[in-house]
Amino acid sequence: MYEGTFPHKRYQKTLEFLRNHVPSPAHILDLGVKNPFVEFMEKEGYSVQNTSGEDLDINTEVVKNNSAEVITAFEIFEHLLAPFNVLRDSSADKLVASIPLKLWFSPAYRSKTDPWDRHYHEFEDWQFDWLLEKSGWEIKARDKWTHPIKKIGFRPLLRLFTPRYYIIYAERIKN
């Protein structure tokens, strides 16, 4: 539908994954402030509300007191010190989340200009799976993809075949 119109490969992969596991229309609470990807979700027929930039490590009220069927978190959990709290406290029954995977050949991301733009966690897939399980979620589907960059060198070569992004669809475990 949007072939060639995505600014990033991950947008296309993320939208395909969301479409396959959460049919529209659905009411989504997207963690993080409104971003360009929200427009793609809305064009697909999803009703999307974003969080307002509150510190989700400390204040999880927005996920506790929300009527959304689905929580989405696209490259958000790596920025939190305590993603367990948000995952545990969510009132939604469905979750679609993606994270950048830890790369053995590259250090964790840290912006040199923005003190808030850094990764406190760069998970391996099993670590993220365990976090979800411990916080009350059961993974129903998962996928990974690479993120090649147009540079010459050893690390760019490794990025051609080393998965960088990991995405899951999970449902709340009923007690």
Side-chain angles (χ1 to χ4, degrees):
M1 181 177 200
Y2 304 101
E3 201 61 40
T5 63
F6 292 101
H8 307 286
K9 175 183 177 180
R10 68 184 168 95
Y11 280 21
Q12 180 177 356
K13 296 293 238 173
T14 301
L15 191 59
E16 287 171 4
F17 190 88
L18 180 64
R19 228 188 263 136
N20 289 337
H21 299 289
V22 179
S24 67
H27 180 205
I28 292 174
L29 175 63
D30 184 43
L31 301 185
V33 295
K34 189 166 183 170
N35 59 75
F37 186 70
V38 170
E39 292 178 32
F40 290 102
M41 290 193 290
E42 290 173 338
K43 285 178 187 173
E44 286 291 316
Y46 298 103
S47 170
V48 183
Q49 173 190 350
N50 283 87
T51 55
S52 303
E54 56 271 68
D55 187 341
L56 295 172
D57 279 319
I58 297 168
N59 181 0
T60 62
E61 293 302 312
V62 69
V63 296
K64 283 182 187 175
N65 302 323
N66 197 285
S67 61
E69 311 160 53
V70 182
I71 296 281
T72 57
F74 304 121
E75 288 84 59
I76 294 295
F77 291 129
E78 68 275 10
H79 297 278
L80 299 178
L81 289 173
F84 175 86
N85 297 331
V86 172
L87 288 162
R88 178 198 59 208
D89 291 350
S90 170
S91 61
D93 291 327
K94 298 175 183 176
L95 169 71
V96 178
S98 61
I99 57 165
L101 290 168
K102 179 179 179 173
L103 299 175
W104 61 269
F105 55 85
S106 183
Y109 173 74
R110 182 177 177 186
S111 171
K112 293 181 186 336
T113 57
D114 183 348
W116 297 104
D117 189 15
R118 57 184 62 173
H119 292 179
Y120 293 104
H121 305 282
E122 286 194 350
F123 301 93
E124 292 185 34
D125 55 0
W126 69 268
Q127 292 170 308
F128 193 59
D129 292 355
W130 191 28
L131 171 65
L132 293 168
E133 177 186 316
K134 299 261 314 166
S135 58
W137 296 92
E138 180 181 359
I139 297 173
K140 301 291 188 175
R142 55 176 56 86
D143 195 11
K144 293 179 190 177
W145 64 87
T146 61
H147 181 67
I149 57 175
K150 295 178 181 172
K151 293 184 178 178
I152 297 173
F154 183 65
R155 284 197 262 185
L157 178 65
L158 291 173
R159 288 179 184 270
L160 288 172
F161 58 86
T162 305
R164 176 61 172 152
Y165 292 103
Y166 181 53
I167 193 167
I168 60 87
Y169 165 69
E171 295 179 357
R172 172 73 64 196
I173 296 171
K174 305 290 185 209
N175 292 332

